[in-house]
Amino acid sequence: MGMALTGKAVPYKKGFGPFPADIYNVAFPNLYHGTSTAESLKALKALFKYQADPSSIAGIIIEPVQGEGGFNIAPTDFLQALRELCDEHGIVFIADEIQTGFARTGKLFALEHAGVKADVVTLAKGLAGGLPLSAITGRADIMDASNPGGLGGTYAGNPIACAAAHAVLDIIEDENLCARANAIGGIIQTRCRELAGRSNLNCIGDVRGLGAMCAVEFVKDTTSGEPSPELTAQVLKIANERGLILLSCGTYGNVIRFLPPLTASDALVKEGMDIFEATLNEAVSKLQ
Amino acid sequence: MTVQLKTNDLEAFFMPFSANRRFKSAPRLLASAKDMHYFTEDGRKILDGTSGLWCVNAGHCRPRIVEAIQKQAAELDFAGTFQMGHLKAFEAASRLVNIAPKGFDHVFFTNSGSESVETALKMAIAYHRAKGNASKVRLIGRERGYHGVQLRRHRRRRHRHQSQMVRNRRRGRRPPAPYA
């Protein structure tokens, strides 16, 4: 079901399937690409009218910041409207905080930025410092409804991963990593916006981020806004050669994401951004 | 027995979300990590701008985390949580509930984000069924959303071949190999 709900066909769904029926994907707000909150909500209401009556919807799942999709941030008014719609129709609101959780966006959980509460939250990644521990947390009346013994997994809650999780949560608390995430994000976004303003780098379409979850979207030129996966691939390759690991994302593979450890010093973040700047200059000149 | 790995021994591992052939023709192998850096097999230092697929928000090989893992591995390496338990899981769940939004009372552990998503969806469906709304089974995601790699298919009818096998068994007919 998770794969069916994933809204990125290549590489995740291509060649697999058939997928289960009764699963729908609706537009996500994306101001840079021209989809507003109003349009996104209109698409959802159209789904309710033409395809699936809301009384038949069990749950809506959403990432507060889409990861693979390109670090698209869900606007506060959108999340609030979604909460109201779920309350109106008795739909379970599931927040997928697998990438955004545990201080990454400057709050413990990204949904806190919007002041909206989900019914169930999925968690993973930063929970146990790389050991395989993931979780679901939510309202007891929802979680208790499953048949006794119906849900489980052999390694679930294993002691070593739990011990790691405790140590990670201690560090998040003791070292105030939420505040660190905001500081790190500020350094990254300030530098990226400065680079975007340079006349020789007419290739940065958008800079966006929440806390230390930041991204840059590369385009062929800022007038057309046409995605440039070619430049993105060059940047990843050259960055690695210069000693910096980065990752891409986005439907067109043209978004670079910045996710440094939240314990990185200002000096190290700036060192990383220096490498990124040199990388970008070299990549742009190679493609000219 | 330790296996000495040569470059052409990379074949066995089918790497996830990777262009396997391309990688294995020019492998990039990491040997160690410390704080914000990875180190390659030949000693090159690389800044990790991804926090290890954002699992290592607290930094690589932090002594506090390493010591917690070492201590636990020496004390209780593994215990299942089916009808028995160990305190670490209860303590971890309590900590998560304490920092989660008010009104979140339970934690269910899985091993990956994909499993968390799959289980959350099952919980949503089971919740509605328990409330008497068995027709509430549809799910909505977002374009450009990513929710993992689980592929669960609804099967409304048994496969015709399997149905025939059940009928044969009831009539005392032995199923052919390899099903026998």
Side-chain angles (χ1 to χ4, degrees):
Chain A
M1 290 191 283
M3 192 198 285
L5 282 162
T6 286
K8 193 176 179 185
V10 178
Y12 302 112
K13 295 166 94 158
K14 185 181 174 185
F16 301 121
F19 297 98
D22 288 332
I23 290 191
Y24 306 89
N25 282 303
V26 185
F28 187 96
N30 190 326
L31 284 176
Y32 180 65
H33 287 285
T35 305
S36 65
T37 291
E39 281 158 341
S40 195
L41 289 171
K42 193 175 164 189
L44 183 55
K45 287 173 185 167
L47 174 86
F48 287 165
K49 193 168 179 61
Y50 301 118
Q51 294 193 62
D53 186 82
S55 65
S56 68
I57 307 292
I60 291 181
I61 185 166
I62 186 165
E63 300 157 273
V65 180
Q66 289 187 320
E68 287 301 309
F71 278 28
N72 307 312
I73 302 166
T76 297
D77 57 350
F78 174 73
L79 291 168
Q80 287 169 343
L82 208 57
R83 177 72 266 175
E84 283 166 18
L85 274 170
C86 286
D87 287 339
E88 184 188 342
H89 298 294
I91 296 170
V92 175
F93 184 157
I94 305 169
D96 185 336
E97 296 250 20
I98 286 164
Q99 297 194 20
T100 52
F102 300 107
R104 173 51 61 185
T105 68
K107 300 258 187 207
L108 267 176
F109 303 108
L111 222 55
E112 293 174 49
H113 288 283
V116 167
K117 211 164 83 168
D119 297 313
V120 171
V121 177
T122 57
L123 305 164
K125 290 213 185 272
L127 172 53
L131 264 71
L133 184 71
S134 305
I136 302 134
T137 182
R139 283 168 33 199
D141 61 328
I142 294 175
M143 295 182 69
D144 287 347
S146 303
N147 253 343
L151 299 169
T154 300
Y155 299 113
N158 70 87
I160 295 175
C162 285
H166 281 295
V168 167
L169 292 171
D170 285 341
I171 290 172
I172 290 176
E173 218 173 275
D174 295 344
E175 297 181 21
N176 200 358
L177 293 192
C178 289
R180 252 337 268 161
N182 286 320
I184 289 169
I187 295 171
I188 294 172
Q189 287 202 55
T190 300
R191 181 71 81 91
C192 287
R193 289 187 204 288
E194 191 269 311
L195 290 170
R198 293 190 193 171
S199 55
N200 66 317
L201 295 176
N202 184 28
C203 57
I204 297 177
D206 195 30
V207 175
R208 51 186 179 261
L210 200 57
M213 192 168 174
C214 305
V216 158
E217 184 151 354
F218 286 126
V219 293
K220 292 196 191 323
D221 63 86
T222 53
T223 308
S224 69
E226 198 185 325
S228 182
E230 304 82 11
L231 177 60
T232 310
Q234 274 296 312
V235 166
L236 291 178
K237 179 172 175 294
I238 298 168
N240 186 43
E241 287 163 2
R242 286 178 175 266
L244 172 65
I245 291 181
L246 293 170
L247 271 179
S248 64
C249 61
T251 312
Y252 306 103
N254 69 322
V255 178
I256 292 275
R257 36 186 165 180
F258 299 93
L259 293 152
L262 303 180
T263 44
S265 63
D266 285 4
L268 259 175
V269 176
K270 285 170 185 167
E271 180 188 325
M273 294 314 293
D274 287 343
I275 297 174
F276 176 68
E277 180 178 338
T279 295
L280 188 54
N281 280 317
E282 185 182 336
V284 164
S285 64
K286 272 190 173 161
L287 283 182
Q288 274 165 356
Chain B
M1 185 181 79
T2 308
V3 175
Q4 288 297 322
L5 192 69
K6 303 188 221 25
T7 310
N8 59 8
D9 288 344
L10 299 177
E11 200 50 39
F13 177 32
F14 187 82
M15 297 170 68
F17 291 146
S18 302
N20 272 260
R21 277 191 289 265
R22 190 165 68 195
F23 178 87
K24 288 163 188 176
S25 66
R28 298 181 299 179
L29 296 175
L30 303 170
S32 61
K34 184 80 189 126
D35 295 326
M36 314 303 142
H37 292 93
Y38 283 122
F39 298 86
T40 62
E41 288 281 337
D42 54 0
R44 197 164 73 96
K45 187 175 170 181
I46 308 177
L47 196 53
D48 180 6
T50 67
S51 297
L53 293 177
W54 48 117
C55 294
V56 194
N57 288 345
H60 287 286
C61 299
R62 292 289 304 271
R64 272 170 100 168
I65 300 174
V66 170
E67 281 153 22
I69 295 167
Q70 286 172 332
K71 182 170 179 288
Q72 188 59 47
E75 200 172 282
L76 174 65
D77 54 354
F78 180 79
T81 48
F82 304 174
Q83 307 288 13
M84 64 177 76
H86 57 85
L87 280 178
K88 276 284 177 300
F90 288 97
E91 287 163 356
S94 291
R95 278 189 88 165
L96 282 178
V97 157
N98 285 339
I99 62 174
K102 204 166 172 237
F104 279 21
D105 308 308
H106 286 338
V107 171
F108 181 82
F109 287 118
T110 65
N111 306 298
S112 70
S114 292
E115 288 173 51
S116 285
V117 165
E118 198 73 8
T119 308
L121 300 170
K122 283 158 75 173
M123 284 178 175
I125 292 170
Y127 166 69
H128 291 298
R129 188 175 287 266
K131 282 181 69 176
N133 297 324
S135 60
K136 240 169 150 49
V137 295
R138 288 167 159 159
L139 301 162
I140 297 178
R142 293 282 137 180
E143 290 169 7
R144 299 192 176 98
Y146 177 79
H147 299 292
V149 297
Q150 299 281 354
L151 174 65
R152 195 200 94 169
R153 299 173 198 176
H154 292 286
R155 288 196 182 270
R156 300 230 176 103
R157 297 187 298 132
R158 244 197 288 210
H159 191 279
R160 210 177 292 160
H161 176 63
Q162 289 173 329
S163 300
Q164 184 60 49
M165 284 171 60
V166 168
R167 284 195 287 274
N168 285 343
R169 206 174 291 128
R170 284 185 187 142
R171 289 170 193 156
R173 291 178 195 159
R174 218 180 138 198
Y179 305 110

